[in-house]
Amino acid sequence: LKNMGNSCYLASVCQLVMGLEEVKARYGSVAKDGRPGRERDVLCQVRKLADCMARGYTSREKGDDPDDPTATAMPSMFKKAVAEGSEDFCTGQQQDAAEYFRWLVNKISAHEVDSEVKLGGLFGFELEGKKTCVPDGKVRYTSDLANVLNLPVPKDRIKWEEEEEQDPKKMKVEGQDEKKKPKGSLSLYECLDSFCAETDVPDYTWSHLGGKAAAKSTQGFKSFPKYLALAVGRYEIGPDWQPKKIAVDVDVPLELDLERFRAKRIPGEVEAPEEAPAGFVANADALAQLMGMGFGKNACERALLNTGNSDAESAMNWVFAHMEDANFNEELTAEEKGLGGGGVDKMDVDDGGVDEDVVASLVANLGMFTAEQVRPVLKHVGGAQDRAADWLFSHMDSLDADIAALSAGGGGGGGTDIPHQADVQVCGDGKGLYDLLGFSSHIGPNTGSGHYVAHILKDGEWIIFNDDKVAKSVNPPLGKGYLYLFKRREGEVASW
């Protein structure tokens, strides 16, 4: 695939996705699509590209030999059709391959209105979280749907060593730093162990206790997809608040066994009762200040309810703007109190808030972001942990500015409007035994720059796809991949 200007992320992802047997069977022939070839028709453009890649046919320039194996395709219409609705992917800037993978899968799935099993069903899986109440041992289960597993790199498990010393003269000629650079390594299983390990949550809200108490938190796979897309979190925020790549090689096996990471429920466990909506309780200090200005209690409580129950100044501004409202002096209804602001420990995402337990989980698991950074991002992506983590990692080069744009109501540096996680389809389950099909690796300081290439295992040989340059790879950099794609050995997804 020809590079159209910072489109290597698209090429590497398409090489991984379009080569799957199910994708070739559904989209690998233009003849199956009787509709006219419209520029903005997503499925039409997918068929064109899939057919091109499956049969080797390209829209070659006039004069090219139809049998020339070096001929390339330029998927410009595909890029435009798929990017519609995204402020990121419609630009000519470099993008995050894992984020584009998610966008592409969700975009195609959203247009497969006549298909019972959508493309996303090949990658969709469910994670189950478990919170255990320390005081009484009761448990609470939660679940999240995803089509990409974002796997943070646990820095505390990295084994560091210095690179072997090289000839200083040769290094100087090649422009390399003469100082020894630390190099880290760990296994993919260590990343998974850390991801699923038990963590402490000091102040978790337990409705049956009437307040907060310590909890133990774990998570695991509730289902295993036919194809598992796994993104390794190789980036962190440095002391200067700039993103930097963690210099680490991840030992990724060709055969992956995930069965021990399956979520298991213990017989005899007692589940804690469901969360009861917490009633709104007005900020006492702010309420007293407002009432001291001569306003009625009902109006003051209503003002605090609508301004986050934070301070008297914000509430006063609301009072001046809503004094003519018909219900200005009416007592808050039971329903309004149940959807209140600062008195609610867990806010409803659909009403503009975020789940503080999810915030705490992301802060603990990612280990490089603050709660103040996570909250607006979580709100922006509809409360989905998977997408929040992906957004944070893909905006690390301008994190504070993009978060400020989100808080101001903007797009957050071109925030991608990916369909809600509730749209992720999970089809079937099987044993967590996988074989590596290929991976996309990134060269550069962060995912907003640099270059992507794809390595794919074909007939026992590794092939490197570097845009329009394709060759055999003798030593594929398995340890330096960013987005890996595995195929489950047994258990089939519903028939296509």
Side-chain angles (χ1 to χ4, degrees):
L1 298 179
K2 187 171 292 186
N3 193 314
M4 299 172 286
N6 290 325
S7 65
C8 52
Y9 69 92
L10 178 151
S12 66
V13 169
C14 286
Q15 293 291 358
L16 292 174
V17 174
M18 297 300 178
L20 301 181
E21 291 301 322
E22 293 84 352
V23 176
K24 289 192 291 186
R26 177 173 285 188
Y27 295 111
S29 174
V30 173
K32 293 183 180 180
D33 186 3
R35 299 173 300 167
R38 292 167 289 179
E39 268 189 41
R40 298 173 63 182
D41 189 314
V42 173
L43 297 188
C44 176
Q45 297 303 327
V46 170
R47 282 186 168 87
K48 286 173 58 181
L49 182 59
D51 178 67
C52 163
M53 297 178 70
R55 296 194 295 149
Y57 171 78
T58 63
S59 53
R60 300 179 179 88
E61 297 178 3
K62 185 176 180 180
D64 282 354
D65 181 359
D67 298 321
D68 182 3
T70 65
T72 60
M74 181 181 289
S76 55
M77 287 191 288
F78 170 87
K79 180 179 185 293
K80 183 177 180 180
V82 172
E84 186 172 1
S86 166
E87 295 181 12
D88 279 331
F89 303 126
C90 64
T91 71
Q93 299 176 346
Q94 183 65 281
Q95 303 296 336
D96 187 310
E99 189 174 344
Y100 185 74
F101 173 89
R102 182 182 293 105
W103 173 269
L104 175 63
V105 170
N106 286 345
K107 186 81 169 185
I108 295 175
S109 297
H111 284 77
E112 293 177 320
V113 293
D114 298 327
S115 302
E116 181 179 352
V117 179
K118 303 180 184 299
L119 176 66
L122 296 174
F123 308 97
F125 60 94
E126 188 172 3
L127 290 172
E128 183 172 80
K130 175 183 175 181
K131 298 287 194 306
T132 303
C133 181
V134 172
D136 61 14
K138 291 184 178 180
V139 299
R140 177 175 295 142
Y141 289 97
T142 58
S143 63
D144 288 302
L145 299 177
N147 50 29
V148 177
L149 178 64
N150 288 298
L151 197 61
V153 172
K155 293 191 67 177
D156 59 330
R157 303 196 182 199
I158 297 177
K159 303 176 185 65
W160 294 100
E161 61 183 22
E162 290 187 339
E163 292 184 343
E164 294 183 5
E165 190 170 2
Q166 301 180 37
D167 184 356
K169 293 183 179 180
K170 182 179 179 181
M171 295 176 69
K172 186 174 182 179
V173 170
E174 295 178 357
Q176 300 180 33
D177 191 346
E178 295 184 22
K179 297 180 180 178
K180 293 183 179 180
K181 295 182 179 180
K183 179 181 178 182
S185 63
L186 80 169
S187 71
L188 186 64
Y189 284 114
E190 288 178 293
C191 296
L192 289 162
D193 281 331
S194 177
F195 181 77
C196 298
E198 183 178 84
T199 57
D200 294 321
V201 183
D203 295 311
Y204 187 79
T205 302
W206 297 99
S207 58
H208 71 288
L209 297 181
K212 296 185 177 182
K216 300 288 186 180
S217 177
T218 59
Q219 61 183 337
F221 289 89
K222 192 173 182 179
S223 66
F224 289 112
K226 182 167 186 179
Y227 294 99
L228 175 64
L230 188 154
V232 176
R234 294 183 173 276
Y235 301 92
E236 64 175 352
I237 296 293
D240 57 354
W241 290 96
Q242 295 299 313
K244 66 176 184 179
K245 181 180 286 187
I246 303 174
V248 60
D249 282 355
V250 180
D251 182 13
V252 178
L254 297 179
E255 300 177 356
L256 186 64
D257 186 353
L258 298 178
E259 269 302 313
R260 64 189 175 98
F261 301 106
R262 186 186 289 273
K264 298 179 178 65
R265 298 195 177 193
I266 302 173
E269 287 180 330
V270 178
E271 292 195 41
E274 293 293 328
E275 291 276 353
F280 171 75
V281 178
N283 183 316
D285 293 335
L287 180 63
Q289 291 182 51
L290 291 170
M291 293 181 65
M293 298 177 189
F295 297 102
K297 180 180 179 181
N298 291 343
C300 296
E301 287 186 339
R302 188 171 295 278
L304 287 167
L305 171 70
N306 285 280
T307 56
N309 200 22
S310 55
D311 60 86
E313 183 179 354
S314 300
M316 179 56 66
N317 293 332
W318 187 94
V319 166
F320 288 136
H322 295 81
M323 292 179 67
E324 302 301 323
D325 291 358
N327 64 345
F328 180 71
N329 281 303
E330 294 181 4
E331 184 178 357
L332 294 175
T333 64
E335 182 179 3
E336 288 175 314
K337 289 181 179 180
L339 298 175
V344 181
D345 290 315
K346 288 189 68 176
M347 299 181 71
D348 190 328
V349 172
D350 293 334
D351 290 307
V354 295
D355 187 332
E356 288 300 322
D357 297 331
V358 177
V359 173
S361 175
L362 284 170
V363 172
N365 290 331
L366 299 182
M368 61 182 70
F369 304 105
T370 66
E372 288 69 27
Q373 292 172 325
V374 169
R375 284 192 190 95
V377 175
L378 196 61
K379 178 180 177 181
H380 175 62
V381 299
Q385 292 189 60
D386 178 72
R387 290 172 54 203
D390 185 70
W391 192 99
L392 287 163
F393 283 118
S394 63
H395 290 78
M396 290 176 67
D397 54 340
S398 56
L399 187 64
D400 290 335
D402 289 350
I403 289 177
L406 289 183
S407 301
T416 309
D417 185 22
I418 300 176
H420 195 280
Q421 285 300 99
D423 297 331
V424 174
Q425 185 182 30
V426 177
C427 297
D429 189 13
K431 288 186 177 181
L433 303 176
Y434 286 88
D435 294 306
L436 181 61
L437 295 182
F439 61 96
S440 171
S441 53
H442 177 260
I443 306 166
N446 58 67
T447 55
S449 61
H451 185 65
Y452 285 98
V453 298
H455 286 79
I456 298 176
L457 188 59
K458 291 180 176 289
D459 301 324
E461 293 185 314
W462 283 100
I463 309 297
I464 180 174
F465 294 84
N466 181 8
D467 290 327
D468 56 351
K469 301 177 182 65
V470 181
K472 291 183 179 180
S473 178
V474 180
N475 295 306
L478 289 173
K480 301 184 183 299
Y482 173 50
L483 178 66
Y484 295 88
L485 187 62
F486 294 87
K487 180 180 180 180
R488 197 179 66 212
R489 287 187 184 177
E490 56 183 67
E492 295 299 322
V493 176
S495 175
W496 278 47

